[in-house]
């Protein structure tokens, strides 16, 4: 199924959705205040946020979320014109990575329960710079920019978001804000996995065989296009209803995971140089037998055990367990895969850069919908290699 990605910020209030954070441990201002700052007169803003971890019921629309400030010389404040949703937002709403991300936000508050609330979700943003720190050199108020927001920072489902200038890029002029907001997080994830971890690029991919599990999502569809533009042979696993999508993006072979044993179907194919795993679980075990022996083949998973382990076991025990898991899988006993490598790529480490996102062209189709009921949309990404 294609990844659902679309949330365009509207100024109109949503009837019945502006509920208070009754269960949030942190208190909020009771009214919209005004300060004298020439660059930001209001101290509260509208946003979609959570006051505790849980299901969709914890998500609230509020007009009383504190406005982020330019607190560092390298900070850039952005007025949000468009944003989008990622699976990570849904996971974070339920508490995924809460302990480790809280530690990343403020090491001194790790034992302070609930201090991260209200927590604004949203990892993608396209908008306009409204204020800059004293040492910012690449941006100025009025610049149109886009970015992927790190998970430990307040998100983009709000009127404003503040990032460092190193996390922001100028938005391509040929893209609207809505189009631009559909891509930064999945694009930087795909590039980080394939290039930084996988070692692939335009000059090294022409003779490579790549398997992408769960290839019809945002990261998968972007990866297919990059790999085909670089000349790689791409095999994808997905459901039958997504086959047309991935073939249209260039996939050479498609395995329908609903049509039988996926491992058996893949086992009949030629071995792979690289496997990009978007699913995890049993797929990880199956992948080990699909890599080329003695060829430096790589298995890259986006489903790192670190965040799940720290959530369930605590910071120390979870980190130790995750390290042990990586050790037992990456250091194999003597055998055909001793020269292969396994890399755990953490979504929480990705950020957008002008280098990874320049030279790309997209066409995106977004059905308009209510903020409170985001519907899946069809996103087709067209990659230009010029």
């Amino acid at each position: 199924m294609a990844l659902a990605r679309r949330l365009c910020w509207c100024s109109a209030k949503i009837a019945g959705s502006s509920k208070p954070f009754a269960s949030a441990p942190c208190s909020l201002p009771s009214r919209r205040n005004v300060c004298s700052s020439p660059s930001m007169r209001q101290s509260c803003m509208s946003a979609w946020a959570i006051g505790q971890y849980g299901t969709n019921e914890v998500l609230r629309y509020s007009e009383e979320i504190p406005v982020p400030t330019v607190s560092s010389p390298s900070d850039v404040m952005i007025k949000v014109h468009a944003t989008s949703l990622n699976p990570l937002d849904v996971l974070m709403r339920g508490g995924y990575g809460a302990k480790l991300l809280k530690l990343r936000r403020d090491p001194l508050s790790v034992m302070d329960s609930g201090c991260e609330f209200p927590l604004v979700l949203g990892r993608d943003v396209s908008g306009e710079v409204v204020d800059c720190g004293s040492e910012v050199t690449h941006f100025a108020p009025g610049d149109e920019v886009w970015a992927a927001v790190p998970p430990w920072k307040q998100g983009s489902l709000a009127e404003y978001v503040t990032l460092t200038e190193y996390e922001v890029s100028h938005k391509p002029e040929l893209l609207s804000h809505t189009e631009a907001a559909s891509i930064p997080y999945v694009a930087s994830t795909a590039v980080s996995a394939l290039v930084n971890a996988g070692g692939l690029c335009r000059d090294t991919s022409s003779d490579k065989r790549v398997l992408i599990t769960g290839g019809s999502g945002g990261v998968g569809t972007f990866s297919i296009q990059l790999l085909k533009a670089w000349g790689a042979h791409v095999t994808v696993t997905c459901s039958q209803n997504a086959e047309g999508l991935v073939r249209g993006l260039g996939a050479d072979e498609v395995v329908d995971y609903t049509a039988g044993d996926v491992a058996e179907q893949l086992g009949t194919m030629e071995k792979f140089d690289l496997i990009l795993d978007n699913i995890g679980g049993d797929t990880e075990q199956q992948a080990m037998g699909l890599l080329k022996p003695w060829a430096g083949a790589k298995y890259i998973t986006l489903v790192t055990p670190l965040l799940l382990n720290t959530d369930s076991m605590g910071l120390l025990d979870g980190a130790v367990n995750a390290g042990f898991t990586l050790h037992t899988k990456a250091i194999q006993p003597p055998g055909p895969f001793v020269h292969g490598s396994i890399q755990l790529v953490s979504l929480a480490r990705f950020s957008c850069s002008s280098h990874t996102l320049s030279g790309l062209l997209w066409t995106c189709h977004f059905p308009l919908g209510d903020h409170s009921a985001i519907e899946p949309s069809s996103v087709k990404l067209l990659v230009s290699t010029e």
Side-chain angles (χ1 to χ4, degrees):
M1 179 182 294
L3 183 67
R5 306 179 50 76
R6 198 252 182 247
L7 185 63
C8 188
W9 186 258
C10 298
S11 59
K13 297 180 182 179
I14 301 174
S17 64
S18 184
K19 301 179 182 178
F21 288 89
S23 56
C26 298
S27 61
L28 293 173
S30 59
R31 60 188 179 86
R32 294 177 73 94
N33 298 313
V34 177
C35 64
S36 59
S37 170
S39 61
M40 182 54 57
R41 291 191 298 271
Q42 65 186 58
S43 63
C44 290
M45 65 178 179
S46 300
W48 282 91
I50 59 174
Q52 63 182 23
Y53 296 117
T55 63
N56 283 336
E57 298 302 318
V58 303
L59 186 64
R60 295 286 185 267
Y61 173 80
S62 173
E63 294 184 346
E64 298 179 342
I65 301 297
V67 174
T69 60
V70 174
S71 57
S72 167
S74 62
D75 279 351
V76 175
M77 178 181 284
I78 302 168
K79 180 177 176 59
V80 178
H81 286 281
T83 181
S84 64
L85 293 176
N86 289 276
L88 182 61
D89 294 309
V90 180
L91 293 172
M92 288 180 63
R93 179 212 61 198
Y96 174 73
K99 293 180 179 179
L100 198 60
L101 293 176
K102 182 190 296 184
L103 179 65
R104 177 62 179 82
R105 293 184 189 105
D106 185 2
L108 299 180
S109 67
V110 67
M111 301 303 294
D112 186 4
S113 177
C115 64
E116 67 268 40
F117 301 118
L119 183 62
V120 180
L121 303 175
R123 300 302 110 200
D124 292 300
V125 62
S126 181
E128 178 184 343
V129 174
V130 294
D131 200 2
C132 298
S134 60
E135 296 180 3
V136 173
T137 58
H138 294 91
F139 303 97
D143 287 353
E144 293 190 335
V145 297
W146 63 351
V149 182
W152 56 86
K153 292 191 173 183
Q154 289 286 48
S156 56
L157 301 185
E159 289 185 79
Y160 300 93
V161 64
T162 296
L163 301 169
T164 69
E165 69 169 325
Y166 312 109
E167 296 164 335
V168 179
S169 299
H170 287 96
K171 180 183 73 67
E173 294 182 0
L174 75 166
L175 296 181
S176 68
H177 284 294
T178 303
E179 292 170 330
S182 71
I183 207 63
Y185 205 81
V186 294
S188 53
T189 300
V191 171
S192 294
L194 296 176
V195 179
N196 298 344
L200 299 181
C201 64
R202 185 195 304 267
D203 300 326
T204 62
S205 302
S206 60
D207 59 342
K208 302 298 184 182
R209 287 180 52 81
V210 180
L211 169 64
I212 303 175
T213 63
S216 60
V219 175
T221 52
F222 196 87
S223 298
I224 292 170
Q225 296 170 86
L226 282 178
L227 291 166
K228 291 309 299 177
W230 295 341
H233 182 282
V234 180
T235 300
V236 173
T237 68
C238 63
S239 62
Q240 182 180 15
N241 61 8
E243 181 174 352
L245 169 66
V246 297
R247 286 196 182 278
L249 296 176
D252 298 288
E253 296 180 87
V254 179
V255 174
D256 177 8
Y257 64 75
T258 66
D261 190 332
V262 174
E264 182 178 342
Q265 297 179 67
L266 293 173
T268 63
M269 300 179 178
E270 184 181 342
K271 303 295 184 182
F272 298 95
D273 296 284
L274 185 144
I275 298 176
L276 176 58
D277 184 7
N278 296 284
I279 299 175
D282 294 339
T283 306
E284 180 179 314
Q285 298 300 325
Q286 300 166 2
M288 296 301 97
L290 301 174
L291 293 170
K292 288 183 178 180
W294 306 101
K298 294 183 178 181
Y299 167 75
I300 302 172
T301 177
L302 301 185
V303 189
T304 168
L306 181 58
L307 296 182
L308 291 175
N309 286 349
T310 54
D311 288 341
S312 61
M313 303 177 187
L315 290 172
L316 182 58
D317 291 344
V320 171
N321 186 276
F324 179 77
T325 299
L326 177 59
H327 174 81
T328 57
K329 295 183 181 302
I331 302 179
Q332 302 281 344
F337 301 108
V338 71
H339 291 299
S341 65
I342 298 175
Q343 303 203 25
L344 300 178
V345 182
S346 172
L347 284 174
R349 299 180 62 184
F350 296 148
S351 62
C352 223
S353 70
S354 57
H355 174 72
T356 61
L357 293 179
S358 61
L360 301 176
L361 173 65
W362 302 271
T363 59
C364 309
H365 306 282
F366 301 115
L368 294 177
D370 190 288
H371 280 71
S372 59
I374 308 302
E375 297 295 334
S377 59
S378 173
V379 181
K380 184 175 181 180
L381 315 175
L382 305 178
V383 178
S384 170
T385 59
E386 297 180 357

